Amino acid sequence: MPLPLSLIILARNEERNLPRLLASAADLASEILVVDSGSTDRTREIAVAAGARVISQDWLGMAQQRRFGLAQAAQPWALCLDCDEELSPELGQSIGEFFSRAELETTVGASCARKTWFLGRWITHGDWYPDRQLRLVRRVAATVSGRGGHDKIEVAGPVARLAGDLHHYSFADMADYLRKMNRFSDEHAAEARARGKRWSLAAAVTRPWWRFFRAYVLRRGFLDGFPGFWIAAATAFYTFVRHSRLYESGERS
């Protein structure tokens, strides 16, 4: 039987990714809610065909859009997913088992590991794994924070751990990573300026080296072969770019 669960999906022009996500969660939730922010492709048609309730909402920002979806859901529990994700079979089974556990009455959420597909393989080390995510929450206990294109779901109370991975297809290729890096650095610079943060030479020089060492050595990114090296190096460069943007805008100590 479907679980007392609303699957909440934020979407815009996701006709390529949405079918994969919906297939991975088929028959799991009592409600599928797609919050669409102006799709011009077949996103809405695909969602309706899968039995989803589609609500139109202009883009408010990631955190605000997630809050809107949680407020519209009908079930006491919510599973919040993005269109570039899917449940692994083990994770889907683990979610079902979670609702039969005695601890269900005392917990307000459950987290899972997220595993990313990149350069033809699953990345299982470094900064990208296990990348634990809190996505299954009791709605009344959940809050969402964050700015720009990122959000963080939090709950006040005990959180269980689910078996299995949340599969993530975040970057199509290297070029896609680099395009998103520029956008994310813009958002980071805007947030830093809003907090009154100023550029630091020490941070711009030392943080990139630390991020590479942590990802590639301490978190064993080298076990992912060349993709692991590329991710560690790209993360270091992204860190350098983020810490340099305040210098560019004149926010200097």
Side-chain angles (χ1 to χ4, degrees):
M1 295 292 292
L3 303 172
L5 173 68
S6 293
L7 172 59
I8 304 174
I9 303 168
L10 307 184
R12 184 177 185 275
N13 291 337
E14 292 285 358
E15 66 177 7
R16 182 173 65 89
N17 288 321
L18 187 57
R20 178 182 60 216
L21 169 57
L22 292 171
S24 75
D27 302 322
L28 186 66
S30 294
E31 176 189 42
I32 301 173
L33 174 61
V34 174
V35 181
D36 182 75
S37 53
S39 292
T40 57
D41 63 1
R42 296 179 59 251
T43 294
R44 296 174 64 91
E45 179 184 338
I46 292 169
V48 170
R53 178 163 63 101
V54 180
I55 299 178
S56 295
Q57 172 59 56
D58 292 340
W59 186 247
L60 303 170
M62 195 69 181
Q64 295 91 328
Q65 201 83 349
R66 191 85 72 188
R67 286 189 210 112
F68 176 84
L70 283 166
Q72 303 305 311
Q75 295 297 316
W77 284 82
L79 178 61
C80 302
L81 299 179
D82 298 329
C83 287
D84 62 357
E85 298 171 336
E86 69 171 345
L87 304 178
S88 66
E90 185 181 6
L91 178 57
Q93 179 179 344
S94 182
I95 292 173
E97 293 171 351
F98 171 76
F99 280 88
S100 64
R101 298 180 197 169
E103 65 179 323
L104 178 67
E105 299 304 317
T106 58
T107 56
V108 291
S111 68
C112 61
R114 185 167 66 172
K115 184 167 63 175
T116 299
W117 178 267
F118 187 62
L119 297 181
R121 65 177 294 169
W122 290 112
I123 303 303
T124 56
H125 303 87
D127 282 348
W128 285 14
Y129 191 82
D131 186 26
R132 295 204 69 84
Q133 299 285 319
L134 176 62
R135 296 300 185 83
L136 179 60
V137 294
R138 195 185 295 271
R139 285 199 308 117
V140 296
T143 59
V144 187
S145 60
R147 297 178 181 174
H150 295 88
D151 71 310
K152 183 178 181 180
I153 304 173
E154 298 174 301
V155 290
V159 174
R161 287 198 169 203
L162 300 169
D165 294 322
L166 178 63
H167 291 166
H168 194 205
Y169 300 88
S170 54
F171 305 109
D173 49 30
M174 295 178 183
D176 189 33
Y177 179 97
L178 295 173
R179 283 191 296 269
K180 291 180 179 178
M181 179 184 72
N182 194 47
R183 188 179 87 235
F184 292 156
S185 67
D186 285 344
E187 294 172 357
H188 179 270
E191 293 171 12
R193 286 194 296 269
R195 297 195 308 268
K197 189 173 182 179
R198 304 183 72 82
W199 174 78
S200 164
L201 176 62
V205 172
T206 62
R207 291 294 297 175
W209 291 104
W210 162 245
R211 289 298 301 272
F212 178 87
F213 180 75
R214 185 181 72 176
Y216 196 64
V217 179
L218 297 183
R219 295 182 175 175
R220 301 186 298 169
F222 60 87
L223 293 177
D224 286 318
F226 180 73
F229 176 81
W230 195 94
I231 291 168
T235 300
F237 179 65
Y238 169 57
T239 303
F240 176 70
V241 170
R242 285 197 300 116
H243 284 281
S244 301
R245 296 300 298 275
L246 290 177
Y247 182 93
E248 179 183 47
S249 62
E251 306 292 329
R252 307 170 193 170
S253 301

